[in-house]
């Protein structure tokens, strides 16, 4: 499917390394991640071990009154096309808002769709939703922010989530959708992606 090894290092992608603190009634930061949140009431940001998607642990991001919940890290990525994915689940459809995975690069944010499946036993392996988003790095001077986020109305736990199995896939260099097929002798247009095929080994001038 075009995937190759990702030239990046996502820290604690499966939350197996736990959190930096383990305090009840607190949003504990997972090791290697940062957290921004606006929430009140009972807070529960913690490691959970009930039916993770992969491994033995997952991360639980819950609060009684959520305005926003954002777990993220910043990584350096070479030029190319990427797919960010993660598995999320929640307890009932009333708590679905815009929970998903996202990537922010050069001021632009690319976010996945949100949760659609809530299993009858929500905290089972059947409760997971695999969400993904594809994005491009056109040049690589800046860090790319990848994360998981959800928002609410500040009056309930709507916007909360459990998350596991964050994955970054490198789909190759210069595979931008909508690229233009160029033929020999044409003039290139600035800020346009071109698909170039080289069928025979040799020396070429571009």
């Amino acid at each position: 499917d075009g995937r190759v090894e990702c030239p990046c290092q996502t820290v604690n992608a499966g939350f197996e390394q736990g959190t930096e603190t383990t305090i009840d009634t607190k949003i504990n930061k997972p090791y290697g991640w940062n957290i921004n949140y606006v929430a009140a009431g009972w807070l529960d940001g913690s490691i959970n071990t009930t039916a993770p998607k992969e491994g033995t642990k997952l991360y639980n991001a819950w609060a009684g009154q959520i305005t926003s919940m954002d777990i993220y890290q910043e990584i350096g990525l070479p030029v190319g096309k990427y797919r960010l994915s993660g598995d999320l689940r929640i307890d009932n459809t009333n708590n679905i808002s815009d929970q998903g995975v996202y990537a922010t690069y050069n001021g632009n944010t690319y976010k996945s769709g949100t949760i659609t499946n809530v299993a009858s036993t929500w905290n089972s392996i059947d409760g997971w939703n695999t969400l993904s988003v594809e994005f491009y790095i056109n040049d690589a001077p800046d860090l790319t922010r990848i994360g998981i986020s959800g928002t609410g109305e500040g009056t309930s736990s709507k916007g909360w989530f459990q998350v596991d199995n964050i994955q970054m896939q490198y789909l190759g260099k210069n595979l931008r959708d909508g690229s233009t097929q160029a033929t020999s002798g044409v003039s290139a247009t600035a800020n346009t992606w071109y698909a170039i095929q080289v069928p025979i080994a040799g020396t070429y001038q571009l």
Side-chain angles (χ1 to χ4, degrees), residues 135-203:
F135 62 98
Y136 303 88
I137 302 296
N138 300 331
D139 50 47
D142 299 321
L143 294 175
T144 298
R145 177 166 167 165
I146 63 168
I148 316 99
S149 67
T151 61
E153 300 166 354
T155 58
S156 70
S157 58
K158 184 176 182 178
W160 87 283
F161 53 85
Q162 290 187 341
V163 58
D164 194 15
N165 194 36
I166 299 298
Q167 294 189 17
M168 179 76 75
Q169 297 167 346
Y170 178 59
L171 303 179
K173 190 174 182 179
N174 297 343
L175 295 177
R176 190 176 181 88
D177 295 339
S179 59
T180 300
Q181 184 69 41
T183 57
S184 176
V186 301
S187 298
T189 303
N191 300 317
T192 300
W193 288 75
Y194 290 89
I196 300 174
Q197 295 181 341
V198 182
I200 303 174
T203 301

Side-chain angles (χ1 to χ4, degrees), residues 48-54 58 60 87-92 115 117-130 160 162-164:
N48 189 289
T49 59
T50 303
K53 177 70 175 187
E54 297 287 345
L58 60 98
N60 183 85
D87 291 283
L88 279 71
R89 69 185 181 192
I90 58 172
D91 57 344
N92 66 70
I115 294 168
N117 168 58
V118 178
S120 56
T121 303
W122 72 269
N123 59 348
S124 67
I125 197 70
D126 295 331
W128 292 108
N129 294 252
T130 300
W160 87 283
Q162 290 187 341
V163 58
D164 194 15

